Amino acid sequence: MRNADEKAVAVLRGSRRPDAEQEKRFAEFLLRTYGCEIPLTFEEDKMLNGFTLTVGTDVYDWSLKSRLRQFEEKLKALKSGSDSVIPLMKEAVEDFTPSAEAEETGTVLTVGDEIAVVSGLEHAAYGEILLFSSGVKGMVQDLRRNEIGCVLFGDDAEITEGSLVRRSGKTAGIPVGDGFLGRVVDALGTPIDGKGDISAEGYRPIECPAPGIVDRQPVNAPMETGLLAIDSMFPIGRGQRELIIGDRQTGKTAVALDTILNQKGKNVVCIYVAIGQKSSSVAQLVETLKRRGAMDYTIVVNASASDSASLQYIAPYAGCALGEHFMYQGRDVLIVYDDLSKHAIAYRALSLLLERSPGREAYPGDVFYLHSRLLERSAHLSDALGGGSMTALPIVETQAGDVSAYIPTNIISITDGQIFLESDLFFSGQRPAVNVGLSVSRVGGDAQTKAMKKAAGGIRLDLAQYREMEVFTQFSSDLDETTKRQLTYGQSLMRLLRQPQYHPMSQHDQVITLVSALHHVMQDVPLDDMGRFHTELIKYAEENMSDVCRRVDTTGQLSDSDREEILKVAKEFLEKYKAENPQNA
C-alpha cells in the first residue's frame, strides 16, 4: 500500500470522460492502493488514447503508448536464438497483459551542455537512470531539495524545457560476459568495432562497494610487466594499484601496453580504458594488440575526446565493472585507466555545470572520492570468494614533472606505489624512463618470485650510489681508478635497463641479465654494444642451460647452484665475445 498526501487529488486524463462503471473502478483502485478515499477530477486530453491517473508524483498509465512500450520491453527481454526466438515471440504476444504500475514522472526545468535539471522526481536515487521522452538516457548526479541534476548520455537537442522524464528504477550499469573479450566498446557497453552485437551474460552496476578487509587476502603473487626496470626494483602484485605518472609523451601508455602484452598465455584478462584520447590513437593501440595476439584476452573501453564529458566520467567505472565480473569468477584481471587526469577534468566540467562549488584548483571537494571509490575496488579476493584479483594501473599526466599538484597527490595517496617516468631520462634515450629515486612499490618483495628477489639483490642501492657519484663527479676532472670503475658499472646497469617497446622479457631472461650484471660480467662491454651483447648472451644461455631457464620459469626458484651455472655460462660467453670482437676487448 502506497502513501498519499492528505491534500492529494487524483487527476484522471483522457480523450473522453469515463462512464459510471469506469469511474467506480478507478475509485476502488485508489482505495485499494492508498488505503483512503481520494477525490477524483477529470481533465480532457484529446491527444491521449486511453487514460492516465496522476496522484502526486505517481502516474498510472493505461494509454496505448504505455501498453506499446511495455510490449516493446517484453520483446527486448527475450533471449535471442535463431531456433527459439519465434516461439518465444508467439508466447510473449499470447501472454502479454498490460500493467498499470505507478510511474514517477517529472518535468525538465532546464537543459544544456549535457546537463538537465528536473523537478518532480521526489524518490529518485543517486546514480539512477532516468528516461526522457525523446529516448535519451540520463543519470542522477545531484540531489537537491526540489529538483534533480542529471547528466545525459546522448544528444540533448531533442530535450526541451517541459519535456517529460520518468524513473527507470535501475542504477547505471553495463552488460558483462566473456563475449566482451577481444572487443572494443563504449562507456555504456555498446560495441563500436563493427563486429556486431555482444551476447551478455549479466548486468553489473558501474558503481559497486569495494571488497571489505575480511573479503581480501594479502597481495603476494607477481603481476609481471616484462620490463626489467620495473620487475626488478618496483614489482607489481596481483591485486595491487600501481600508479604510472609522468609528463606528456614520456612512455606511460607504452609501459601499460607492454604489461598487457606480457600477460599472453598467463590466463589474465586485460582491460584498457581510454579516457579523453584521440580515436586514432586508440585505433592504433587496438591494431598493435591484434597484431601481437593480445586482443584475444583484452577488452578496450573507449570514451574518446569527441565523446561527452558524461561518457568520459563513467568510462573507468564501466571498465571496473567488467573487471569485477571476471574477478568474482576467480580469474585474474589487469585494468589500465588511461588516464585519470582527463577523467578528473571531465568530472570537474560536469560538477561546475551542475553548479557545485569549486575548491582548490577549481576542482569540486569530492574529486578525491571520485578516484578512491574506483581504485579501492581493485583487490586480491579471499579464497572463500574464489581468490580472483584485479590489478589497477592508473595513469596520471603531470605538468613539468610536478607530482605535488592536486590530482597527482590525490592518486599517489590512494595507490600502493608509483612508477615515475622522467622527461630528461626519456629524451636522453633511457626507455622506459623510470626514475629510480622517485618510483616505489609499497608491496615490494612480496610481489616477487624468490628467483627474482635473489637475482635483483642490491640493484637499487647500486644505482643510487651511481646517481650520487655522477652528480659529484660533475665538479671534478681528476677521478681515481676505483671511482671510474664504479661509474662504468653504473652506466652499464643503466644501459642494460633500456628495453625496446613491445619486447617484454620472460622471467628467466630477467634473472640471467640481473645475475650477470650485478656480478660485473658486463662491466667492460662498450655501452654502444651493450644491446647486442645482451641479446646474444640470452640466446647463448638458453642454448647451453635450457634446464635452468625452464626451472626458473616454472618454479620461480633460483638455487645457489643455478646461480653459479648462470655466472659460469655468462663468463664463457664474455670470453667468446672478446675473442670475436678484439677491438672491444
Side-chain angles (χ1 to χ4, degrees):
M1 184 180 294
R2 300 174 69 87
N3 294 322
D5 193 325
E6 291 180 3
K7 298 178 182 178
V9 174
V11 180
L12 183 67
R13 293 182 178 87
S15 58
R16 58 174 179 80
R17 182 175 287 278
D19 57 31
E21 182 60 30
Q22 288 174 324
E23 279 198 33
K24 181 182 174 184
R25 287 207 299 268
F26 282 128
E28 290 174 350
F29 173 78
L30 290 170
L31 181 62
R32 185 172 61 252
T33 305
Y34 294 97
C36 63
E37 292 186 0
I38 299 177
L40 183 65
T41 61
F42 176 75
E43 291 182 3
E44 189 177 25
D45 186 346
K46 291 292 186 184
M47 302 299 293
L48 197 61
N49 192 337
F51 292 104
T52 64
L53 181 63
T54 304
V55 184
T57 58
D58 296 338
V59 178
Y60 301 91
D61 198 341
W62 286 276
S63 67
L64 178 62
K65 183 178 179 182
S66 172
R67 296 181 185 201
L68 288 174
R69 180 176 51 77
Q70 291 176 33
F71 185 59
E72 181 186 8
E73 290 174 355
K74 187 173 180 68
L75 288 180
K76 283 181 179 177
L78 296 178
K79 294 182 179 177
S80 59
S82 56
D83 298 329
S84 60
V85 70
I86 304 263
L88 282 171
M89 287 178 69
K90 286 180 179 178
E91 184 182 342
V93 172
E94 290 168 0
D95 296 345
F96 176 65
T97 305
S99 63
E101 296 178 355
E103 283 188 343
E104 194 174 347
T105 61
T107 307
V108 175
L109 297 177
T110 60
V111 63
D113 297 318
E114 304 159 10
I115 300 291
V117 178
V118 178
S119 68
L121 299 178
E122 296 178 4
H123 302 97
Y126 179 84
E128 183 178 351
I129 293 294
L130 301 183
L131 306 173
F132 291 81
S133 55
S134 64
V136 174
K137 292 182 179 179
M139 182 174 69
V140 176
Q141 196 63 26
D142 206 27
L143 296 172
R144 304 167 194 165
R145 185 176 293 275
N146 298 314
E147 58 189 30
I148 287 170
C150 174
V151 297
L152 303 175
F153 297 135
D155 187 8
D156 60 11
E158 296 182 19
I159 302 174
T160 58
E161 184 179 331
S163 296
L164 284 178
V165 55
R166 63 186 178 88
R167 293 177 57 193
S168 68
K170 290 182 178 179
T171 56
I174 185 172
V176 294
D178 286 357
F180 283 84
L181 290 171
R183 301 299 299 272
V184 184
V185 299
D186 65 13
L188 299 174
T190 307
I192 54 175
D193 53 6
K195 294 183 180 179
D197 294 337
I198 298 173
S199 178
E201 298 171 11
Y203 182 89
R204 283 193 70 90
I206 60 170
E207 296 268 16
C208 190
I213 295 174
V214 177
D215 297 330
R216 300 173 182 248
Q217 61 177 306
V219 174
N220 50 23
M223 175 65 74
E224 288 141 343
T225 65
L227 298 170
L228 183 64
I230 295 174
D231 289 343
S232 61
M233 294 181 282
F234 318 106
I236 300 171
R238 300 195 177 196
Q240 188 176 342
R241 303 151 301 175
E242 185 79 2
L243 173 62
I244 302 173
I245 187 170
D247 284 2
R248 185 172 177 272
Q249 297 292 328
T250 50
K252 300 185 295 298
T253 302
V255 169
L257 189 55
D258 279 349
T259 307
I260 291 174
L261 295 176
N262 194 50
Q263 307 314 311
K264 190 173 183 179
K266 297 182 180 179
N267 196 28
V268 175
V269 175
C270 298
I271 301 172
Y272 178 82
V273 183
I275 309 163
Q277 296 186 39
K278 291 187 296 184
S279 295
S280 58
S281 302
V282 178
Q284 188 176 1
L285 181 138
V286 171
E287 190 57 38
T288 300
L289 291 173
K290 283 180 184 173
R291 197 167 55 247
R292 299 183 180 274
M295 204 59 199
D296 296 338
Y297 55 87
T298 303
I299 304 168
V300 175
V301 180
N302 181 30
S304 66
S306 59
D307 287 336
S308 66
S310 308
L311 291 174
Q312 293 182 43
Y313 160 59
I314 68 164
Y317 298 102
C320 190
L322 278 167
E324 284 177 330
H325 167 74
F326 296 102
M327 178 175 71
Y328 282 102
Q329 288 182 343
R331 301 177 70 175
D332 293 312
V333 180
L334 171 69
I335 185 163
V336 178
Y337 303 112
D338 191 6
D339 65 60
L340 292 188
S341 304
K342 294 186 178 71
H343 182 230
I345 290 169
Y347 182 68
R348 175 173 65 182
L350 292 177
S351 294
L352 295 179
L353 288 167
L354 285 166
E355 300 180 357
R356 291 181 182 167
S357 175
R360 177 178 166 187
E361 296 189 24
Y363 283 97
D366 61 339
V367 75
F368 178 90
Y369 181 56
L370 172 77
H371 290 140
S372 66
R373 73 177 190 266
L374 171 70
L375 296 171
E376 287 293 338
R377 290 160 70 179
S378 298
H380 185 192
L381 295 179
S382 64
D383 291 333
L385 290 177
S389 71
M390 183 158 62
T391 308
L393 295 181
I395 295 176
V396 166
E397 185 180 301
T398 55
Q399 305 291 329
D402 182 15
V403 295
S404 64
Y406 189 35
I407 299 302
T409 50
N410 278 352
I411 302 175
I412 285 171
S413 64
I414 296 167
T415 50
D416 307 311
Q418 68 272 350
I419 307 296
F420 182 71
L421 303 179
E422 191 175 6
S423 299
D424 291 345
L425 287 172
F426 183 84
F427 294 125
S428 68
Q430 186 70 32
R431 302 175 187 179
V434 179
N435 182 309
V436 179
L438 292 178
S439 301
V440 66
S441 171
R442 297 189 183 99
V443 174
D446 289 345
Q448 281 179 312
T449 61
K450 291 183 179 179
M452 179 60 74
K453 197 184 298 187
K454 195 170 186 177
I459 184 169
R460 285 195 69 182
L461 183 61
D462 290 349
L463 286 172
Q465 290 175 340
Y466 162 69
R467 284 200 316 275
E468 288 186 10
M469 194 169 293
E470 188 182 34
V471 172
F472 176 73
T473 53
Q474 290 177 356
F475 306 101
S476 174
S477 56
D478 294 331
L479 300 175
D480 60 89
E481 198 60 35
T482 305
T483 305
K484 285 181 181 178
R485 291 285 293 173
Q486 283 184 313
L487 281 172
T488 306
Y489 170 59
Q491 288 166 351
S492 69
L493 283 182
M494 289 297 291
R495 186 59 65 97
L496 206 58
L497 293 178
R498 293 186 183 183
Q499 195 169 331
Q501 192 176 0
Y502 311 136
H503 289 82
M505 296 171 66
S506 65
Q507 185 169 198
H508 74 262
D509 288 353
Q510 294 181 344
V511 168
I512 291 168
T513 303
L514 289 168
V515 169
S516 305
L518 294 177
H519 285 81
H520 300 261
V521 173
M522 305 177 185
Q523 182 164 340
D524 295 326
V525 177
L527 294 179
D528 292 339
D529 211 28
M530 184 68 76
R532 183 169 70 90
F533 177 87
H534 177 225
T535 303
E536 292 178 4
L537 168 63
I538 296 297
K539 187 178 179 183
Y540 183 81
E542 288 173 340
E543 291 172 353
N544 289 273
M545 53 176 192
S546 57
D547 54 335
V548 173
C549 296
R550 188 169 54 253
R551 212 161 33 241
V552 168
D553 284 338
T554 54
T555 66
Q557 304 279 347
L558 180 68
S559 64
D560 290 340
S561 60
D562 288 343
R563 185 168 60 180
E564 292 303 320
E565 188 170 352
I566 290 172
L567 276 174
K568 177 186 169 188
V569 169
K571 288 173 181 175
E572 283 177 6
F573 178 76
L574 179 63
E575 295 304 319
K576 180 171 174 287
Y577 168 82
K578 286 180 178 179
E580 292 174 356
N581 301 273
Q583 73 278 9
N584 294 332

